[in-house]
Amino acid sequence: MGRIILENIKLFGFHGCMPEEKYVGSNYTINIEIELDIYDASITDDLSKTINYVHLYSIIKEEMKINSKLIENVAKRIIDKINFKFHKMIKYSKIKLCKENPPLNNNVDRVCIIIENFT
């Protein structure tokens, strides 16, 4: 077993319940962790034997473009799409999605949610 981890992906999006969040937007940080069998890829040096992290990043980027009221919804869409596309390879997946500088009077650096899936 092994893990592919994309750390601290920085993207901008328009997610939130407050009307101004749909126009002003916010910065987001996303971490994704995928567990799979990477033995064949490590021996053969063959990209088709693993999950290309470029594809993972593309899914995250595309889903972040779709506005949502809740970051829980964004994270669930991302992890569901990844699990659907690579379901034959993934044993475990985890996403941590954080809204940077949420509208809480500058008293909170970020608000994060975590979703884990065991397959």
Side-chain angles (χ1 to χ4, degrees):
M1 278 306 139
R3 292 188 184 215
I4 297 172
I5 302 170
L6 280 69
E7 292 185 328
N8 295 323
I9 300 166
K10 310 272 192 229
L11 294 171
F12 192 82
F14 297 91
H15 311 295
C17 293
M18 297 182 168
E20 62 270 17
E21 292 178 294
K22 293 175 180 35
Y23 303 105
V24 176
S26 297
N27 291 305
Y28 293 84
T29 304
I30 302 107
N31 294 290
I32 192 97
E33 189 172 321
I34 307 296
E35 184 175 302
L36 68 158
D37 184 348
I38 61 170
Y39 180 77
D40 286 345
S42 70
I43 298 299
T44 64
D45 197 27
D46 183 353
L47 183 58
S48 71
K49 305 288 185 192
T50 187
I51 296 173
N52 187 336
Y53 59 79
V54 173
H55 292 145
L56 296 174
Y57 177 78
S58 294
I59 290 170
I60 294 164
K61 189 174 175 185
E62 286 305 309
E63 290 300 320
M64 284 295 293
K65 290 179 184 177
I66 302 168
N67 298 0
S68 292
K69 291 178 187 173
L70 303 176
I71 59 175
E72 290 88 341
N73 179 260
V74 181
K76 176 107 171 76
R77 285 196 331 262
I78 292 169
I79 207 73
D80 284 352
K81 195 164 193 178
I82 289 169
N83 285 329
F84 179 77
K85 184 167 177 127
F86 303 106
H87 69 277
K88 292 181 181 176
M89 299 176 84
I90 293 176
K91 307 294 183 207
Y92 165 82
S93 58
K94 177 180 175 181
I95 186 170
K96 179 179 178 184
L97 192 148
C98 301
K99 178 185 274 192
E100 305 296 329
N101 302 309
L104 297 170
N105 298 324
N106 295 321
N107 292 326
V108 177
D109 289 339
R110 72 179 56 97
V111 174
C112 303
I113 60 97
I114 295 173
I115 297 176
E116 296 178 275
N117 279 329
F118 299 88
T119 56

